[in-house]
Amino acid sequence: MFLIKDIKLQNFRSYSFKELKTDYPVICIVGPNGSGKTNILEAISLIADKKGIRGAAIEDCIKKDSKDKTIISSTFSYDDKDYKVDVFFELKEDKIKRSLNIDNNKSSLVESFKDITFVWLTPQMDRIMYEGDSVKRKFLDKIVSNYNLDYKKNLITFKKLSDERIHLLKENQDLQWIDILEKKMAEELWNIFSYRRIFIKDLNDIIIKKLNNFLNIILNIKNNYDLDDKINKEEFIKYFEKKYLEKREIDQIIKRNSVGPQFDVFEFFNKETKLNSDLCSTGEQKKILISLILGFIWLIKFQNKNSILLFDEIASHIDGKNLELFFNEIEKIGMQTWYTGTDKQLFQAIENKAFFVKL
């Protein structure tokens, strides 16, 4: 099992200094609201992601009125070896910048640990179920990027090509090069289009196979151009090359690409009621999100990837008997798991299996 064996926070959020020894498979952080529980999970998430579980600006992570550096230090246990992992927040060129060192060398988690991912669930994520298409798409894109590293590269490459195209359109430069850029963009769109559909199929399959004790859900994906999902690559690329040619004038005026990965719409359904998540009750929406997250974690498990699971205020999503079922499901998956909650009684079902931190 991949473990975070300890974590130290220096001048992070509400903490001047905080150290936890966490060489356990399950950690429950218990304390009243405002005691700093989420701050600890956020620090862990910032090891893997520049935005973390809160999606906050880096400046917000620094303890107010502190002149010392903000540092998150941890020890990873991976393949029977320990690694020192440090995240630094430093003022450079009038901006706070984040950097990561592994064993005192600048690196990234992807470079050093290719099969490691972090998965989290927070109360704020409930909005994914009822807010607009762009929120759902951003959430799914992040999940697919963790499932398939090539997909993340496709998104990054498309963004670079897209920016270059707009620059050339604004300057009225080199139509021949714009033709080439647009073909490359269409090729990246094809990869994005394909990977999304592969992921949705895999996720729906794993939910059916593994989550019989949870809400029966299904994910759907459709595109705004009514393209058949079975369209071949050549036809797809030609279609979008034509689209880009048609949109040059308008894109030049609005200074952005009007055609891109936003052509897809993701939908989440309660399979039993056949209702879209937008039309479900708040309780059902939370259950849909739980099933989606659990399905994704099982996919990671079947890829033989290691993960750290972070569940902030888990009782805000699920309670009673269902909470015990959730604990059992996570135990079957077998990854280091961090929970937060206001009351130790919430974790009675795993009291003898977890390490408790009281704040």
Side-chain angles (χ1 to χ4, degrees), residues 126-136 278:
D126 289 342
R127 69 189 186 94
I128 293 164
M129 292 297 108
Y130 57 80
E131 290 204 356
D133 293 334
S134 63
V135 173
K136 291 183 177 69
D278 295 341

Side-chain angles (χ1 to χ4, degrees), residues 84-129:
K84 186 175 183 290
V85 180
D86 300 304
V87 181
F88 299 93
F89 300 86
E90 298 178 274
L91 182 64
K92 292 182 180 179
E93 300 172 358
D94 296 325
K95 286 187 178 180
I96 304 293
K97 296 192 177 180
R98 167 191 174 277
S99 60
L100 186 139
N101 285 9
I102 298 175
D103 286 342
N104 297 315
N105 296 310
K106 277 199 173 182
S107 186
S108 72
L109 287 186
V110 174
E111 290 170 354
S112 300
F113 312 110
K114 289 184 172 58
D115 62 345
I116 286 177
T117 186
F118 287 59
V119 181
W120 54 77
L121 178 65
T122 70
Q124 292 73 28
M125 287 169 64
D126 289 342
R127 69 189 186 94
I128 293 164
M129 292 297 108

